[in-house]
Amino acid sequence: NTYTGRRWFSLTDLYYFTKNIDQTIDKLITVDAINETLYSDLLTCAIKLNQVVDFTWSLKRIQEEHKKQIKRLLAKEIDNKENNPIYDTTAMTFPFRLLNTEKDIFVEGNVMHHCLYNCYYKKIKNHDYIAFHLDSPEECTLGIYLVNGHPELNQIYKKYDQLVSDETK
């Protein structure tokens, strides 16, 4: 495994699912923390699709390829999703909607055109990640890691991974 900032990447996965492991590692060493999530998600989806990706593509190309990956993965799976709650929310109230079933998480990823289901469902199911859908001040998805039981913001994006406004942040 190789560690780049905050994320671990399996050398085996980098070898089999990226075009050139040396160039990939060079790219991961220099990528900023915000885009590191994108590269990680691209690789996660590539593994699921048995696909080779190229980390030397332009940022725009990587974003487009990741969108295509998500569409392919989501289209295959919607009918097989469970509708059982992951968290007991009887004593909780939120100003936004907790994505609390496999189907909720799957549909959110599909409607918002991002990788919530494909890259984060297992973490949510294991209670290592929580995701919410916000309708106001703008429609977006909020993802929070649980690190030693404490919440840490992972990401918040509108449809197609567009940035949210300062007001939403």
Side-chain angles (χ1 to χ4, degrees), residues 1 7 16 25 28 33 35 39 41-42 50-51 55 63 70 75-76 78 107 111 123 156 159 165-166:
N1 288 339
R7 294 183 183 263
Y16 285 108
I25 291 171
L28 290 174
N35 288 318
Y39 285 85
D41 294 347
L42 180 78
N50 195 27
Q51 172 188 48
F55 278 24
Q63 291 167 336
I70 297 310
K76 290 180 179 184
I78 193 161
V107 169
V111 169
K123 293 175 179 121
I156 182 169
K159 282 186 178 181
S165 66
D166 289 339

Side-chain angles (χ1 to χ4, degrees), residues 21 23-24 53 58 72 74 85 95 103 145 161:
I21 191 167
Q23 290 176 336
T24 297
V53 293
S58 70
R72 287 178 56 201
L74 292 174
K103 194 165 197 167
Y145 272 117
D161 291 328

Side-chain angles (χ1 to χ4, degrees), residues 106-124:
F106 183 83
V107 169
E108 181 77 4
N110 199 10
V111 169
M112 297 297 283
H113 302 278
H114 54 53
C115 66
L116 180 68
Y117 179 79
N118 288 297
C119 294
Y120 296 92
Y121 173 69
K122 287 182 182 177
K123 293 175 179 121
I124 294 170

Side-chain angles (χ1 to χ4, degrees), residues 82-106:
E82 293 183 14
N83 214 15
N84 303 324
I86 296 167
Y87 293 96
D88 177 8
T89 60
T90 54
M92 298 180 202
T93 58
F94 301 103
F96 31 80
R97 185 169 44 91
L98 172 66
L99 301 171
N100 197 33
T101 68
E102 182 181 18
K103 194 165 197 167
D104 288 345
I105 296 158
F106 183 83

Side-chain angles (χ1 to χ4, degrees), residues 1-64:
N1 288 339
T2 184
Y3 185 67
T4 61
R6 299 177 310 202
R7 294 183 183 263
W8 286 94
F9 292 85
S10 161
L11 289 176
T12 303
D13 291 342
L14 294 176
Y15 180 80
Y16 285 108
F17 297 102
T18 64
K19 187 175 178 184
N20 180 304
I21 191 167
D22 293 329
Q23 290 176 336
T24 297
I25 291 171
D26 287 344
K27 183 66 174 183
L28 290 174
I29 290 169
T30 61
V31 73
D32 59 52
I34 292 171
N35 288 318
E36 189 174 323
T37 297
L38 175 61
Y39 285 85
S40 176
D41 294 347
L42 180 78
L43 181 63
T44 298
C45 291
I47 293 165
K48 290 180 179 187
L49 293 166
N50 195 27
Q51 172 188 48
V52 173
V53 293
D54 187 347
F55 278 24
T56 64
W57 288 332
S58 70
L59 183 58
K60 184 175 181 173
R61 170 90 187 267
I62 286 175
Q63 291 167 336
E64 290 302 315

